[in-house]
Coordinates of all heavy atoms in Angstrom, one line a residue:
M1 N 3.5 -43.3 28.6 CA 2.1 -43.1 29.3 C 1.7 -41.7 29.1 O 2.5 -40.7 29.2 CB 2.2 -43.4 30.8 CG 0.9 -43.7 31.4 SD 1.0 -43.7 33.3 CE 2.1 -45.1 33.5
R2 N 0.4 -41.5 28.7 CA -0.1 -40.2 28.5 C -0.3 -39.4 29.8 O -0.5 -39.9 30.8 CB -1.5 -40.2 27.8 CG -1.4 -40.7 26.3 CD -2.7 -40.6 25.6 NE -3.3 -39.3 25.8 CZ -4.6 -39.1 25.9 NH1 -5.4 -40.1 26.0 NH2 -5.1 -37.9 26.0
F3 N -0.1 -38.0 29.6 CA -0.1 -37.2 30.8 C -1.5 -37.3 31.6 O -1.5 -37.3 32.8 CB 0.1 -35.7 30.4 CG 0.3 -34.8 31.6 CD1 1.4 -34.8 32.3 CD2 -0.7 -34.0 32.0 CE1 1.6 -33.9 33.4 CE2 -0.6 -33.2 33.1 CZ 0.6 -33.1 33.7
A4 N -2.6 -37.4 30.8 CA -3.9 -37.5 31.4 C -4.0 -38.7 32.3 O -4.6 -38.7 33.4 CB -4.9 -37.5 30.4
I5 N -3.4 -39.8 31.9 CA -3.4 -41.0 32.7 C -2.6 -40.9 33.9 O -3.0 -41.3 35.0 CB -3.0 -42.2 31.8 CG1 -3.9 -42.4 30.6 CG2 -2.8 -43.5 32.7 CD1 -3.4 -43.3 29.6
K6 N -1.4 -40.3 33.8 CA -0.5 -40.1 35.0 C -1.3 -39.2 36.0 O -1.2 -39.4 37.1 CB 0.7 -39.4 34.5 CG 1.7 -40.2 33.7 CD 2.9 -39.4 33.3 CE 3.7 -40.2 32.3 NZ 4.8 -39.4 31.9
R7 N -1.9 -38.1 35.5 CA -2.6 -37.2 36.4 C -3.7 -38.0 37.1 O -3.9 -37.8 38.3 CB -3.3 -36.1 35.5 CG -3.9 -35.0 36.3 CD -4.9 -34.2 35.5 NE -4.4 -33.5 34.3 CZ -4.1 -32.2 34.2 NH1 -4.4 -31.4 35.2 NH2 -3.7 -31.7 33.1
R8 N -4.5 -38.8 36.4 CA -5.6 -39.6 37.0 C -5.0 -40.5 38.1 O -5.6 -40.6 39.2 CB -6.3 -40.4 35.9 CG -7.6 -41.0 36.4 CD -8.5 -41.4 35.3 NE -8.8 -40.3 34.4 CZ -9.1 -40.4 33.1 NH1 -9.1 -41.6 32.5 NH2 -9.4 -39.4 32.4
I9 N -3.9 -41.2 37.8 CA -3.3 -42.1 38.7 C -2.9 -41.3 40.0 O -3.2 -41.8 41.1 CB -2.0 -42.8 38.1 CG1 -2.5 -43.8 37.1 CG2 -1.2 -43.5 39.2 CD1 -1.3 -44.3 36.2
L10 N -2.2 -40.2 39.9 CA -1.8 -39.4 41.0 C -3.0 -38.9 41.8 O -2.9 -38.9 43.0 CB -0.9 -38.2 40.6 CG 0.5 -38.6 40.1 CD1 1.3 -37.4 39.6 CD2 1.3 -39.2 41.3
N11 N -4.1 -38.5 41.1 CA -5.3 -38.0 41.8 C -5.9 -39.2 42.6 O -6.3 -39.0 43.8 CB -6.3 -37.4 40.8 CG -5.8 -36.1 40.4 OD1 -5.0 -35.4 40.9 ND2 -6.4 -35.6 39.3
I12 N -6.0 -40.4 42.0 CA -6.6 -41.5 42.7 C -5.7 -41.9 44.0 O -6.2 -42.1 45.0 CB -6.7 -42.7 41.8 CG1 -7.8 -42.4 40.7 CG2 -7.0 -44.0 42.5 CD1 -7.9 -43.4 39.5
I13 N -4.4 -41.9 43.7 CA -3.5 -42.2 44.9 C -3.6 -41.2 46.0 O -3.7 -41.6 47.2 CB -2.0 -42.3 44.4 CG1 -1.8 -43.5 43.5 CG2 -1.1 -42.4 45.6 CD1 -0.5 -43.6 42.8
A14 N -3.8 -39.9 45.6 CA -4.0 -38.9 46.7 C -5.3 -39.1 47.5 O -5.3 -38.9 48.7 CB -4.0 -37.5 46.0
I15 N -6.3 -39.5 46.7 CA -7.6 -39.8 47.4 C -7.5 -40.9 48.3 O -7.9 -40.9 49.5 CB -8.8 -40.0 46.4 CG1 -9.0 -38.7 45.6 CG2 -10.0 -40.5 47.1 CD1 -9.9 -38.9 44.4
I16 N -6.8 -42.0 47.9 CA -6.6 -43.2 48.7 C -5.7 -42.8 49.9 O -6.0 -43.3 51.1 CB -5.9 -44.3 47.9 CG1 -6.8 -44.9 46.8 CG2 -5.4 -45.5 48.8 CD1 -6.2 -45.8 45.8
F17 N -4.7 -42.0 49.7 CA -3.8 -41.5 50.7 C -4.6 -40.8 51.8 O -4.4 -41.0 53.1 CB -2.7 -40.6 50.1 CG -1.8 -40.1 51.1 CD1 -1.1 -40.9 52.0 CD2 -1.6 -38.7 51.2 CE1 -0.2 -40.4 52.9 CE2 -0.7 -38.2 52.2 CZ 0.0 -39.0 53.0
I18 N -5.5 -39.8 51.4 CA -6.3 -39.1 52.4 C -7.2 -40.1 53.2 O -7.3 -40.0 54.4 CB -7.1 -38.0 51.7 CG1 -6.2 -36.9 51.2 CG2 -8.1 -37.4 52.6 CD1 -6.7 -36.0 50.1
L19 N -7.9 -41.0 52.5 CA -8.7 -42.0 53.2 C -7.9 -42.8 54.2 O -8.3 -43.1 55.3 CB -9.4 -42.9 52.2 CG -10.5 -42.3 51.3 CD1 -11.0 -43.2 50.3 CD2 -11.6 -41.8 52.2
A20 N -6.7 -43.2 53.8 CA -5.8 -44.1 54.5 C -5.4 -43.3 55.8 O -5.4 -43.8 57.0 CB -4.6 -44.5 53.8
I21 N -5.1 -42.0 55.7 CA -4.8 -41.1 56.9 C -5.9 -41.1 57.8 O -5.8 -41.3 59.1 CB -4.4 -39.7 56.4 CG1 -3.0 -39.7 55.7 CG2 -4.3 -38.8 57.6 CD1 -2.7 -38.4 55.2
L22 N -7.2 -40.9 57.3 CA -8.3 -40.8 58.2 C -8.5 -42.2 59.0 O -8.8 -42.2 60.1 CB -9.6 -40.6 57.4 CG -9.7 -39.1 56.8 CD1 -10.9 -39.0 55.9 CD2 -9.7 -38.1 57.9
I23 N -8.3 -43.3 58.2 CA -8.5 -44.6 58.8 C -7.4 -44.9 59.8 O -7.7 -45.3 61.0 CB -8.5 -45.8 57.7 CG1 -9.8 -45.6 56.9 CG2 -8.5 -47.1 58.4 CD1 -9.8 -46.4 55.6
F24 N -6.1 -44.6 59.5 CA -5.0 -44.8 60.4 C -5.1 -44.0 61.6 O -4.8 -44.4 62.7 CB -3.7 -44.6 59.6 CG -3.3 -45.6 58.6 CD1 -2.6 -45.3 57.5 CD2 -3.8 -46.9 58.7 CE1 -2.3 -46.2 56.6 CE2 -3.4 -47.9 57.8 CZ -2.7 -47.5 56.7
N25 N -5.6 -42.8 61.4 CA -5.8 -41.8 62.5 C -6.7 -42.4 63.5 O -6.5 -42.1 64.7 CB -6.3 -40.4 61.9 CG -6.2 -39.3 63.0 OD1 -5.2 -39.3 63.7 ND2 -7.2 -38.5 63.0
K26 N -7.7 -43.1 63.1 CA -8.7 -43.6 64.0 C -8.1 -44.8 64.8 O -8.4 -45.0 66.0 CB -9.9 -44.1 63.2 CG -11.2 -44.5 64.0 CD -12.3 -44.7 63.0 CE -13.5 -45.2 63.7 NZ -14.1 -44.2 64.6
F27 N -7.3 -45.6 64.2 CA -6.8 -46.9 64.8 C -5.4 -46.8 65.4 O -5.1 -47.5 66.4 CB -6.8 -48.1 63.8 CG -8.2 -48.4 63.4 CD1 -8.7 -48.1 62.1 CD2 -9.1 -49.0 64.2 CE1 -10.0 -48.4 61.7 CE2 -10.4 -49.4 63.9 CZ -10.8 -49.0 62.6
F28 N -4.5 -46.0 64.8 CA -3.1 -46.0 65.2 C -2.6 -44.6 65.7 O -1.5 -44.3 65.6 CB -2.2 -46.4 64.0 CG -2.6 -47.7 63.5 CD1 -3.0 -47.8 62.2 CD2 -2.3 -48.9 64.2 CE1 -3.3 -49.1 61.6 CE2 -2.6 -50.2 63.6 CZ -3.2 -50.2 62.4
T29 N -3.5 -43.8 66.2 CA -3.1 -42.5 66.7 C -1.9 -42.5 67.7 O -2.0 -43.2 68.7 CB -4.3 -41.7 67.3 OG1 -5.3 -41.7 66.3 CG2 -3.9 -40.3 67.6
G30 N -0.9 -41.8 67.3 CA 0.3 -41.7 68.2 C 1.1 -42.9 68.3 O 2.2 -42.9 69.0
T31 N 0.8 -44.1 67.7 CA 1.6 -45.3 67.8 C 2.7 -45.2 66.7 O 2.7 -44.5 65.8 CB 0.7 -46.5 67.5 OG1 0.3 -46.5 66.2 CG2 -0.4 -46.6 68.5
A32 N 3.7 -46.1 67.0 CA 4.9 -46.1 66.1 C 4.4 -46.6 64.7 O 4.9 -46.2 63.7 CB 5.9 -47.1 66.6
I33 N 3.5 -47.6 64.7 CA 3.0 -48.1 63.4 C 2.3 -47.0 62.6 O 2.6 -46.8 61.4 CB 2.0 -49.3 63.6 CG1 2.6 -50.4 64.4 CG2 1.4 -49.8 62.3 CD1 1.6 -51.4 64.9
G34 N 1.5 -46.2 63.2 CA 0.8 -45.1 62.6 C 1.7 -44.1 61.9 O 1.6 -43.7 60.8
I35 N 2.7 -43.7 62.8 CA 3.7 -42.7 62.3 C 4.6 -43.3 61.1 O 4.8 -42.6 60.1 CB 4.6 -42.2 63.5 CG1 3.7 -41.5 64.4 CG2 5.8 -41.4 62.9 CD1 4.3 -41.3 65.8
T36 N 5.0 -44.6 61.3 CA 5.8 -45.2 60.2 C 5.0 -45.3 58.9 O 5.5 -45.0 57.8 CB 6.2 -46.6 60.7 OG1 6.8 -46.5 61.9 CG2 7.2 -47.2 59.7
L37 N 3.7 -45.7 59.0 CA 2.9 -45.9 57.8 C 2.7 -44.5 57.1 O 2.8 -44.4 55.9 CB 1.5 -46.5 58.2 CG 1.5 -48.0 58.4 CD1 0.2 -48.4 58.9 CD2 1.9 -48.7 57.1
L38 N 2.5 -43.4 58.0 CA 2.3 -42.1 57.5 C 3.5 -41.6 56.7 O 3.4 -41.1 55.6 CB 2.0 -41.2 58.6 CG 1.5 -39.8 58.3 CD1 0.2 -39.8 57.6 CD2 1.5 -38.8 59.4
I39 N 4.7 -41.9 57.3 CA 5.9 -41.4 56.6 C 6.1 -42.2 55.3 O 6.5 -41.7 54.3 CB 7.1 -41.6 57.6 CG1 7.0 -40.6 58.7 CG2 8.4 -41.4 56.8 CD1 8.0 -40.8 59.9
L40 N 5.9 -43.5 55.4 CA 6.0 -44.4 54.2 C 5.1 -43.9 53.1 O 5.5 -43.8 51.9 CB 5.7 -45.8 54.5 CG 6.8 -46.7 55.0 CD1 6.3 -48.1 55.4 CD2 7.9 -46.8 54.0
F41 N 3.8 -43.6 53.4 CA 2.9 -43.1 52.4 C 3.4 -41.8 51.8 O 3.3 -41.6 50.6 CB 1.5 -42.9 53.0 CG 0.6 -44.1 52.8 CD1 0.2 -44.8 53.9 CD2 0.2 -44.4 51.6 CE1 -0.7 -46.0 53.7 CE2 -0.7 -45.6 51.4 CZ -1.1 -46.3 52.5
L42 N 3.8 -40.8 52.7 CA 4.2 -39.6 52.2 C 5.4 -39.7 51.3 O 5.5 -39.1 50.2 CB 4.6 -38.6 53.4 CG 3.4 -37.9 54.0 CD1 4.0 -37.2 55.3 CD2 2.9 -36.9 53.1
L43 N 6.4 -40.6 51.7 CA 7.6 -40.7 50.9 C 7.3 -41.4 49.5 O 7.8 -40.9 48.5 CB 8.6 -41.7 51.6 CG 9.7 -41.0 52.4 CD1 10.6 -42.0 53.1 CD2 10.6 -40.1 51.4
S44 N 6.4 -42.4 49.5 CA 6.1 -43.1 48.3 C 5.3 -42.1 47.3 O 5.6 -42.1 46.1 CB 5.4 -44.4 48.5 OG 4.3 -44.2 49.3
Y45 N 4.4 -41.3 47.9 CA 3.7 -40.4 47.1 C 4.6 -39.3 46.5 O 4.5 -39.0 45.3 CB 2.6 -39.7 47.8 CG 1.7 -38.9 46.9 CD1 0.8 -39.5 46.0 CD2 1.7 -37.5 47.0 CE1 0.0 -38.8 45.3 CE2 0.9 -36.7 46.2 CZ 0.0 -37.4 45.3 OH -0.8 -36.7 44.5
F46 N 5.5 -38.9 47.3 CA 6.5 -37.8 46.8 C 7.4 -38.4 45.7 O 7.6 -37.8 44.6 CB 7.4 -37.4 48.0 CG 8.5 -36.4 47.6 CD1 8.1 -35.1 47.3 CD2 9.8 -36.8 47.6 CE1 9.1 -34.2 46.9 CE2 10.8 -35.9 47.2 CZ 10.4 -34.6 46.9
I47 N 7.9 -39.7 45.8 CA 8.7 -40.3 44.8 C 7.9 -40.5 43.5 O 8.4 -40.3 42.4 CB 9.3 -41.6 45.3 CG1 10.3 -41.4 46.4 CG2 9.9 -42.5 44.2 CD1 10.7 -42.6 47.2
L48 N 6.6 -40.9 43.7 CA 5.8 -41.1 42.5 C 5.5 -39.8 41.7 O 5.6 -39.8 40.5 CB 4.4 -41.7 42.9 CG 4.2 -43.2 42.8 CD1 2.8 -43.6 43.3 CD2 4.3 -43.6 41.3
T49 N 5.3 -38.7 42.5 CA 5.1 -37.5 41.8 C 6.4 -37.0 41.1 O 6.3 -36.5 40.0 CB 4.6 -36.3 42.7 OG1 5.6 -36.2 43.8 CG2 3.3 -36.6 43.3
L50 N 7.5 -37.3 41.7 CA 8.8 -37.0 41.1 C 8.9 -37.6 39.8 O 9.5 -37.1 38.8 CB 10.0 -37.3 42.0 CG 10.5 -36.3 43.0 CD1 11.7 -36.9 43.8 CD2 11.0 -35.0 42.2
I51 N 8.5 -38.9 39.7 CA 8.6 -39.7 38.4 C 7.5 -39.3 37.4 O 7.8 -39.1 36.2 CB 8.6 -41.2 38.8 CG1 9.7 -41.6 39.7 CG2 8.6 -42.0 37.5 CD1 9.6 -43.0 40.3
L52 N 6.3 -39.2 37.9 CA 5.2 -39.1 36.9 C 4.8 -37.7 36.7 O 4.3 -37.4 35.5 CB 3.9 -39.9 37.5 CG 4.1 -41.3 37.6 CD1 2.8 -41.9 38.3 CD2 4.3 -42.0 36.3
W53 N 4.9 -36.8 37.6 CA 4.4 -35.4 37.5 C 5.3 -34.5 36.7 O 5.9 -33.6 37.3 CB 4.0 -34.9 38.9 CG 3.1 -33.7 38.9 CD1 3.3 -32.5 39.5 CD2 1.8 -33.6 38.3 NE1 2.2 -31.7 39.3 CE2 1.3 -32.3 38.6 CE3 1.0 -34.4 37.5 CZ2 0.1 -31.9 38.1 CZ3 -0.2 -34.0 37.0 CH2 -0.7 -32.7 37.4
R54 N 5.5 -34.8 35.4 CA 6.5 -34.1 34.6 C 5.8 -33.6 33.3 O 4.9 -34.3 32.8 CB 7.7 -34.9 34.3 CG 8.6 -35.1 35.5 CD 9.8 -35.9 35.1 NE 10.7 -36.0 36.3 CZ 11.6 -35.1 36.6 NH1 11.7 -34.0 35.9 NH2 12.3 -35.2 37.7
C55 N 6.2 -32.5 32.8 CA 5.6 -32.0 31.5 C 6.1 -33.0 30.4 O 7.2 -33.3 30.3 CB 6.2 -30.6 31.2 SG 5.8 -30.0 29.6
P56 N 5.1 -33.4 29.5 CA 5.4 -34.3 28.4 C 6.2 -33.7 27.3 O 6.8 -34.3 26.5 CB 4.0 -34.7 27.9 CG 3.1 -33.7 28.4 CD 3.6 -33.1 29.6
H57 N 6.3 -32.3 27.3 CA 7.1 -31.6 26.3 C 8.5 -31.2 26.7 O 9.5 -31.5 26.0 CB 6.3 -30.3 25.9 CG 4.9 -30.6 25.5 ND1 4.6 -31.1 24.3 CD2 3.7 -30.4 26.1 CE1 3.3 -31.3 24.2 NE2 2.7 -30.8 25.3
C58 N 8.6 -30.6 27.9 CA 10.0 -30.2 28.3 C 10.5 -31.0 29.5 O 11.7 -30.8 29.9 CB 10.0 -28.7 28.7 SG 9.0 -28.3 30.2
N59 N 9.7 -32.0 30.0 CA 10.1 -32.9 31.1 C 10.5 -32.2 32.4 O 11.2 -32.7 33.2 CB 11.3 -33.7 30.6 CG 11.4 -35.0 31.3 OD1 10.3 -35.6 31.6 ND2 12.6 -35.6 31.6
S60 N 10.0 -30.9 32.6 CA 10.2 -30.3 33.9 C 9.3 -30.9 34.9 O 8.2 -31.3 34.7 CB 9.8 -28.8 33.7 OG 10.6 -28.2 32.8
Y61 N 9.8 -30.9 36.2 CA 9.0 -31.4 37.3 C 8.0 -30.3 37.6 O 8.3 -29.1 37.9 CB 9.9 -31.7 38.5 CG 9.2 -32.1 39.7 CD1 8.2 -33.1 39.6 CD2 9.4 -31.5 40.9 CE1 7.5 -33.5 40.7 CE2 8.6 -31.9 42.0 CZ 7.7 -32.9 42.0 OH 7.0 -33.3 43.1
L62 N 6.7 -30.7 37.6 CA 5.6 -29.7 37.7 C 5.2 -29.5 39.2 O 4.0 -29.6 39.6 CB 4.4 -30.1 36.9 CG 4.7 -30.3 35.4 CD1 3.5 -31.0 34.7 CD2 4.9 -29.0 34.7
W63 N 6.1 -29.2 40.1 CA 5.8 -29.2 41.5 C 4.9 -28.1 41.9 O 4.1 -28.2 42.9 CB 7.1 -29.1 42.3 CG 7.9 -27.8 42.0 CD1 8.7 -27.6 41.0 CD2 7.9 -26.5 42.7 NE1 9.2 -26.2 41.0 CE2 8.7 -25.6 42.1 CE3 7.2 -26.1 43.9 CZ2 8.9 -24.3 42.6 CZ3 7.4 -24.8 44.3 CH2 8.2 -24.0 43.7
K64 N 4.9 -26.9 41.2 CA 4.0 -25.8 41.6 C 2.8 -25.8 40.8 O 2.0 -24.8 40.8 CB 4.8 -24.5 41.5 CG 5.2 -24.2 40.1 CD 5.9 -22.8 40.1 CE 6.5 -22.5 38.8 NZ 7.2 -21.2 38.7
L65 N 2.5 -26.8 40.0 CA 1.3 -26.8 39.1 C 0.1 -27.3 39.9 O 0.1 -28.3 40.6 CB 1.6 -27.8 37.9 CG 0.6 -27.7 36.8 CD1 0.6 -26.4 36.1 CD2 0.8 -28.9 35.8
A66 N -1.0 -26.6 39.7 CA -2.3 -27.0 40.3 C -2.7 -28.3 39.6 O -2.4 -28.6 38.4 CB -3.4 -26.0 40.0
P67 N -3.4 -29.2 40.4 CA -3.8 -30.5 39.9 C -4.6 -30.5 38.6 O -4.5 -31.5 37.8 CB -4.6 -31.2 41.0 CG -4.3 -30.4 42.2 CD -3.9 -29.0 41.8
F68 N -5.3 -29.5 38.3 CA -6.2 -29.5 37.0 C -5.7 -28.4 36.0 O -6.5 -28.0 35.2 CB -7.6 -29.3 37.4 CG -8.1 -30.4 38.3 CD1 -8.3 -30.2 39.6 CD2 -8.3 -31.7 37.8 CE1 -8.7 -31.3 40.5 CE2 -8.8 -32.7 38.6 CZ -8.9 -32.5 39.9
A69 N -4.5 -28.0 36.1 CA -4.0 -27.0 35.2 C -3.9 -27.6 33.7 O -3.8 -28.8 33.6 CB -2.6 -26.5 35.6
T70 N -4.0 -26.7 32.8 CA -4.1 -27.2 31.4 C -2.8 -26.9 30.6 O -2.6 -27.5 29.6 CB -5.2 -26.6 30.6 OG1 -5.1 -25.1 30.7 CG2 -6.6 -27.0 31.2
H71 N -1.9 -26.0 31.1 CA -0.7 -25.7 30.4 C 0.5 -25.8 31.3 O 0.4 -25.5 32.5 CB -0.8 -24.3 29.8 CG -1.7 -24.2 28.6 ND1 -3.1 -24.2 28.8 CD2 -1.5 -24.2 27.3 CE1 -3.7 -24.2 27.6 NE2 -2.7 -24.2 26.7
C72 N 1.7 -26.1 30.8 CA 2.9 -26.2 31.5 C 3.4 -24.8 31.8 O 3.4 -23.9 31.0 CB 4.0 -26.9 30.6 SG 5.6 -26.8 31.4
P73 N 3.8 -24.5 33.1 CA 4.2 -23.1 33.5 C 5.6 -22.8 33.0 O 6.1 -21.7 33.0 CB 4.2 -23.2 35.1 CG 4.3 -24.6 35.4 CD 3.7 -25.4 34.3
Y74 N 6.3 -23.9 32.5 CA 7.7 -23.6 32.1 C 7.8 -23.4 30.6 O 8.4 -22.5 30.1 CB 8.6 -24.8 32.5 CG 8.6 -25.1 34.0 CD1 7.8 -26.0 34.5 CD2 9.4 -24.2 34.8 CE1 7.8 -26.2 35.9 CE2 9.3 -24.3 36.2 CZ 8.6 -25.4 36.7 OH 8.5 -25.5 38.1
C75 N 7.2 -24.3 29.7 CA 7.3 -24.2 28.3 C 6.0 -23.6 27.7 O 6.0 -23.2 26.5 CB 7.7 -25.5 27.6 SG 6.5 -26.8 27.8
G76 N 4.9 -23.6 28.4 CA 3.7 -23.0 27.9 C 2.9 -23.9 27.0 O 1.8 -23.6 26.5
N77 N 3.4 -25.2 26.8 CA 2.7 -26.1 26.0 C 1.5 -26.7 26.7 O 1.5 -26.8 28.0 CB 3.6 -27.2 25.5 CG 4.4 -26.9 24.3 OD1 3.9 -26.4 23.4 ND2 5.7 -27.1 24.4
E78 N 0.5 -27.1 25.9 CA -0.7 -27.7 26.5 C -0.4 -29.1 27.1 O 0.3 -29.9 26.4 CB -1.8 -27.8 25.5 CG -3.1 -28.1 26.1 CD -4.2 -28.2 25.0 OE1 -4.0 -27.9 23.9 OE2 -5.4 -28.5 25.4
L79 N -0.9 -29.3 28.3 CA -0.8 -30.7 28.9 C -2.1 -31.5 28.5 O -3.2 -31.0 28.6 CB -0.8 -30.6 30.4 CG 0.4 -29.7 30.9 CD1 0.1 -29.4 32.4 CD2 1.7 -30.4 30.7
E80 N -1.8 -32.6 27.9 CA -2.9 -33.4 27.3 C -4.0 -33.8 28.3 O -3.6 -34.3 29.3 CB -2.4 -34.7 26.6 CG -1.3 -34.4 25.6 CD -0.4 -35.6 25.3 OE1 -1.0 -36.7 25.0 OE2 0.7 -35.6 25.5
Ligands
LIG1 ZN1 6.7 -28.0 29.7

C-alpha cells in the first residue's frame, strides 16, 4: 500500500475518532460503556498507527512525525 493512502486512511480514522468522542461524550458521559468504547478506540487507533505509520524506505515508526510532513526524520527520504 502506498504511503499517501495509509496517511489518508489514518487521517480519516482520526476524524471519525474525534466525531465519535463528541457523540459518545453527549450520550455516555461517565458511564462504563463510554469509557470502554473510548479505551477501545484509542487502543485500535494506536495499533493501526503502529502498523501503517511507517517510513516506506527505512520502515521506521514515524511516531514523532507531523501528519503532513513530506520527509522521513530518520532516513531523510521523501514520503510519497
Ligand atoms: Zn525513513
Side-chain angles (χ1 to χ4, degrees):
M1 198 190 298
R2 289 186 53 216
F3 187 78
I5 296 168
K6 292 177 186 177
R7 188 202 300 254
R8 193 164 298 154
I9 290 171
L10 287 173
N11 286 343
I12 290 168
I13 292 171
I15 291 166
I16 292 170
F17 179 55
I18 291 164
L19 287 176
I21 288 175
L22 291 174
I23 293 165
F24 290 149
N25 191 38
K26 194 171 172 66
F27 294 107
F28 303 112
T29 304
T31 63
I33 300 168
I35 293 163
T36 310
L37 284 173
L38 190 69
I39 292 168
L40 272 176
F41 265 115
L42 277 173
L43 262 179
S44 51
Y45 188 71
F46 179 69
I47 292 165
L48 259 177
T49 57
L50 268 181
I51 297 166
L52 294 177
W53 198 233
R54 288 181 177 278
C55 172
H57 305 285
C58 66
N59 208 32
S60 297
Y61 177 51
L62 302 168
W63 63 276
K64 64 179 177 182
L65 188 70
F68 299 103
T70 54
H71 289 78
C72 172
Y74 300 101
C75 67
N77 278 312
E78 192 180 355
L79 302 167
E80 304 160 58

